[in-house]
Amino acid sequence: MGVPLLDLSLQYTQLKEESDALWLDVMSNAAYIGGSKVEQIEKEIADYCGVKHCIAVANGTDALFLILEALGIRRGDEVITTPWTFFASIESIGHVGATPVLIDIEPGTYNIDPLKIEEAITERTKAIMPVHIYGQCADMDAINAIAEKHGLVVIEDACQAIGATYKRKRAGSLAKAAAFSFFPTKNLGCAGDGGCITTDDGKLADRMRLVARHGEAQKYVHTTFGTNSRLDALQAGLLSLRLIKLDEWNQQRRQAAEYYLEKLVDVGDLEMPVERDYGKGVYHLFILKSAKAPEAVSYLHEQGIGSALYYPKSLHEQEVLREIPNFKKPTLPVAEDSASKTFALPCYPGITQVQQDEVIEAVRTFYSLA
Ligand SMILES: *Cc1c(COP(=O)(O)O)cnc(C)c1O
């Protein structure tokens, strides 16, 4: 039969009537950018995350850049973050001219290791940027305590983690500000690019909004050099429809993950993903670790099953980082040992047990042959 790594069509078919009506509504009103639909989703996301402000922007990369910009992080400053993420996390630090300082991750969760943060702090350090990788929150109490002790600000890259909880609070409300992406494959995705920022800080929110709208304080009065980063009405409307379903969809991902955890626990050299008891992850990806990951991925492809390495390389190994002033390539044993050994199995809302059984059977067969 075959099982895809991700099936996005379900998010459309489950809300087909509403989505089609929305499309016609936006087309006939010809109000494409900004307006009430964008204001509405900003309010809904702020309420959902439990924060005062949400600023809709064009994508998750812009969200990170705008946060760093508004915090005044500039050339010569250092931001401590993880090499185990999508490139945008580090790219945004480079975009404001600052230097990313990459430290090692925890085995099992693949999140930034709080125990490694303090030794990386220098007089130039301004911020810590944890990434809630694969949909599980980083250990935010530990990170916030270090930040407070050293007078640093904490920024969440929550792009993979909308709906994840940490001690009953939601991702997006756990630090100074957080970035979300609505790229179609994310847990809350739109029909194109989209993103937002959440924060409780009203002054910071004003600055980010200003910079995202060409620095235009009043009509034709530009008080800073900004950029253009907006969410359009169609995406905003679609996100409002899908946000209502998000908890149910995240729960379906968790159930699918639990089924794999139960059925694959003693197969080959597979290491299961670790869930920390401080919160509930949303399984943006279900990740296994194995020395034979590349061969397993190829075998699964031959069987028609979607799988991919996440990530084939730790970002501290990217050559382009040499272009960043003062970047020092670190040695990071856990991240280096995880590269090309971690791979994803199909885990998305709507996946059936029959499909999961097919995946499990193929994984078992591969490891019995291997
Ligand atoms: C997707 C993602 C981003 C970037 O979001 P875009 O909307 O694609 O710009 C940033 N960080 C992480 C961890 C991501 O997964």
Side-chain angles (χ1 to χ4, degrees), residues 165-196:
T165 58
Y166 181 88
K167 300 188 178 170
R168 294 176 196 284
K169 288 173 78 181
R170 281 210 169 105
S173 69
L174 306 170
K176 187 70 174 172
F180 289 100
S181 166
F182 304 127
F183 186 74
T185 62
K186 303 290 156 103
N187 288 35
L188 179 64
C190 58
D193 274 308
C196 76

Side-chain angles (χ1 to χ4, degrees), residues 24-338:
L24 291 175
D25 177 39
V26 171
M27 286 299 125
S28 54
N29 283 319
Y32 303 117
I33 289 179
S36 63
K37 289 192 170 60
V38 176
E39 283 164 28
Q40 188 185 331
I41 190 64
E42 286 181 336
K43 188 172 181 322
E44 288 166 352
I45 299 262
D47 290 348
Y48 181 81
C49 291
V51 297
K52 293 198 188 106
H53 309 278
C54 170
I55 300 123
V57 296
N59 53 65
T61 308
D62 279 4
L64 289 166
F65 161 76
L66 289 161
I67 294 169
L68 292 162
E69 195 286 334
L71 287 168
I73 292 167
R74 297 289 185 271
R75 187 164 296 277
D77 295 338
E78 292 177 356
V79 179
I80 296 174
T81 190
T82 163
W84 203 254
T85 178
F86 177 61
F87 189 62
S89 317
I90 293 171
E91 200 177 24
S92 63
I93 299 169
H95 276 160
V96 295
T99 305
V101 174
L102 305 177
I103 67 166
D104 214 353
I105 53 174
E106 298 174 331
T109 70
Y110 309 97
N111 268 321
I112 191 168
D113 187 344
L115 299 174
K116 310 269 169 60
I117 293 175
E118 270 193 301
E119 62 201 50
I121 295 174
T122 72
E123 67 278 11
R124 289 182 296 279
T125 309
K126 288 284 152 54
I128 309 170
M129 187 202 280
V131 179
H132 305 317
I133 203 70
Y134 306 141
Q136 175 169 218
C137 289
D139 191 353
M140 294 305 290
D141 279 359
I143 295 165
N144 282 326
I146 296 165
E148 198 166 324
K149 185 172 152 198
H150 295 272
L152 307 175
V153 63
V154 181
I155 301 155
E156 295 171 74
D157 180 340
C159 288
Q160 299 188 1
I162 193 159
T165 58
Y166 181 88
K167 300 188 178 170
R168 294 176 196 284
K169 288 173 78 181
R170 281 210 169 105
S173 69
L174 306 170
K176 187 70 174 172
F180 289 100
S181 166
F182 304 127
F183 186 74
T185 62
K186 303 290 156 103
N187 288 35
L188 179 64
C190 58
D193 274 308
C196 76
I197 302 160
T198 54
T199 184
D200 272 327
D201 185 329
K203 269 181 79 176
L204 194 70
D206 289 345
R207 171 75 191 175
M208 295 187 292
R209 215 177 266 286
L210 181 74
V211 174
R213 315 287 184 257
H214 299 291
E216 191 176 47
Q218 297 163 38
K219 196 86 186 146
Y220 290 113
V221 181
H222 300 267
T223 55
T224 190
F225 284 94
T227 182
N228 172 11
S229 190
R230 299 184 283 230
L231 186 71
D232 60 62
L234 176 68
Q235 307 307 350
L238 205 51
L239 290 166
S240 286
L241 294 175
R242 293 179 176 182
L243 183 60
I244 298 166
K245 288 271 183 193
L246 179 64
D247 285 347
E248 187 186 321
W249 287 344
N250 279 342
Q251 185 55 28
Q252 288 173 11
R253 287 175 185 266
R254 284 186 59 82
Q255 270 164 6
E258 277 160 23
Y259 193 60
Y260 284 138
L261 286 170
E262 183 192 318
K263 299 286 178 181
L264 292 173
V265 72
D266 41 38
V267 175
D269 70 339
L270 285 178
E271 286 176 43
M272 299 293 117
V274 171
E275 186 170 47
R276 300 282 300 273
D277 59 12
Y278 53 54
K280 280 194 158 61
V282 290
Y283 288 94
H284 172 61
L285 291 171
F286 180 84
I287 294 292
L288 294 168
K289 186 175 173 206
S290 160
K292 299 195 182 72
E295 295 84 0
V297 170
S298 316
Y299 179 81
L300 291 171
H301 279 192
E302 283 163 27
Q303 310 305 311
I305 290 166
S307 179
L309 295 172
Y310 282 96
Y311 294 95
K313 215 173 178 184
S314 175
L315 291 181
H316 72 288
E317 314 263 16
Q318 292 278 343
E319 288 295 315
V320 68
L321 294 184
R322 291 172 196 266
E323 290 176 18
I324 291 176
N326 307 320
F327 181 77
K328 287 181 218 70
K329 187 181 164 190
T331 301
L332 307 175
V334 181
E336 283 159 28
D337 181 59
S338 305

